[in-house]
Amino acid sequence: MTKHDPFKWFETSPEIIRLAVMLYVRFPLSLRNGEDLLHERGIDVSHEAVRFWWQRFGPMFANEIRKRRIKGMKSSRWRWHLDEMFVKINGERHYLWRAVDHEGEVLESFVTKRRDKKAVLKFLRKAMRKHGRPEVIVTDKLRSYGAALKETGADARHETGRWENNRAENSHLPFRRRERAMLRFRRMRSLQKFAAVHASVFNHFNSERSLTRRRIFKLNRTVALAEWRGLCSE
């Protein structure tokens, strides 16, 4: 059975589409910034084409990255850090919940209108359904976490502390930079979609350069770029 080619009816080459999506999602660029960078490389496309490409192919690339990483991330069940961040949509406050493992990999993102026990339960069940149950769950002192973990039977694994959850707090920074470049979001659906895509792309290219030698970092970066260029290929 032949594999479906997602680029079949597009005149633009898959290499250019992958490059445009990577530039827009990975770096804090506007659509017009992406258009200008592609133009500097001799690629004449409009910013609306970049928008269409990331909306069409971004989730597809993210899903393929996620499948590959879940298979090889058995250690992600050891320690999770959970945290929520405020995101405004049309002036109304929403909450983006994120689960991060002990190495800084963003495991799951989930958007809700409320910050209560029900929202935490939905988020936890979604994350555990994909990644299994972790041995330790670290959160801040929001009471909703304790109530939700008690209902799921994981309250004995719950840890809190003043600086214990810095891993999750620091993982918000790349998304915050990206949010400012996009001039925020206008719909919950758009926020959920972009947060999931951004998390997968960030995980893929995140090499923890401060923890490895320069030679190893360059090798990991080259491998990540080669894998990206092969996403959704026949």
Side-chain angles (χ1 to χ4, degrees):
M1 184 177 178
T2 59
K3 186 177 179 180
H4 172 67
D5 181 11
F7 306 100
K8 183 176 181 180
W9 306 109
F10 287 80
E11 296 181 0
T12 309
S13 68
E15 291 76 15
I16 292 177
I17 294 176
R18 290 193 190 95
L19 175 61
V21 174
M22 183 190 70
L23 289 175
Y24 180 68
V25 177
R26 184 183 176 191
F27 301 106
L29 303 171
S30 67
L31 292 167
R32 287 175 173 79
N33 290 151
E35 177 184 348
D36 291 341
L37 284 174
L38 292 171
H39 177 73
E40 189 272 335
R41 289 162 173 77
I43 304 171
D44 185 19
V45 297
S46 71
H47 67 279
E48 289 296 339
V50 178
R51 184 202 305 274
F52 178 78
W53 289 341
W54 96 254
Q55 290 181 345
R56 173 72 176 269
F57 294 100
M60 194 181 304
F61 295 156
N63 187 50
E64 187 166 342
I65 292 172
R66 195 178 303 113
K67 286 180 179 178
R68 294 181 182 183
R69 297 186 80 82
I70 288 176
K71 290 180 181 179
M73 286 179 62
K74 296 180 180 179
S75 62
S76 65
R77 296 184 183 180
W78 173 50
R79 188 182 187 89
W80 286 8
H81 297 260
L82 308 183
D83 195 34
E84 77 287 351
M85 58 188 293
F86 306 118
V87 182
K88 283 193 174 182
I89 302 177
N90 296 325
E92 183 180 355
R93 177 175 288 186
H94 291 69
Y95 301 93
L96 175 61
W97 305 83
R98 288 154 58 87
V100 180
D101 73 0
H102 63 285
E103 294 182 339
E105 297 279 345
V106 182
L107 302 175
E108 196 63 50
S109 302
F110 188 62
V111 182
T112 64
K113 289 185 177 181
R114 298 182 179 273
R115 190 173 60 155
D116 53 12
K117 172 186 170 183
K118 185 177 179 181
V120 178
L121 278 173
K122 285 184 177 180
F123 170 55
L124 276 174
R125 286 166 178 164
K126 180 181 179 183
M128 290 180 178
R129 186 166 57 249
K130 291 183 180 179
H131 303 277
R133 299 174 70 89
E135 297 178 14
V136 178
I137 298 178
V138 183
T139 71
D140 56 23
K141 295 183 179 181
L142 179 68
R143 293 182 179 180
S144 301
Y145 287 118
L149 289 170
K150 186 175 182 179
E151 183 164 326
T152 59
D155 53 322
R157 310 174 187 180
H158 188 199
E159 293 183 3
T160 60
R162 186 173 182 182
W163 294 290
E164 292 291 326
N165 213 27
N166 282 354
R167 174 65 78 178
E169 295 286 350
N170 292 335
S171 75
H172 296 329
L173 299 179
F175 185 84
R176 282 297 190 201
R177 289 193 291 267
R178 198 66 197 80
E179 179 192 17
R180 287 194 294 269
M182 296 179 68
L183 302 178
R184 301 190 175 180
F185 299 88
R186 294 174 177 80
R187 293 186 302 170
M188 279 186 62
R189 183 178 178 183
S190 299
L191 172 57
Q192 179 67 69
K193 181 178 181 178
F194 187 84
V197 174
H198 181 269
S200 292
V201 175
F202 175 79
N203 290 341
H204 184 74
F205 288 102
N206 182 26
S207 300
E208 294 286 350
R209 68 171 66 199
S210 61
L211 302 179
T212 58
R213 295 180 180 272
R214 177 66 179 174
R215 178 177 60 83
I216 302 300
F217 166 72
K218 291 172 64 177
L219 178 61
N220 291 339
R221 183 172 59 182
T222 301
V223 171
L225 190 57
E227 290 179 355
W228 175 267
R229 290 169 176 165
L231 291 177
C232 299
S233 59
E234 288 186 312

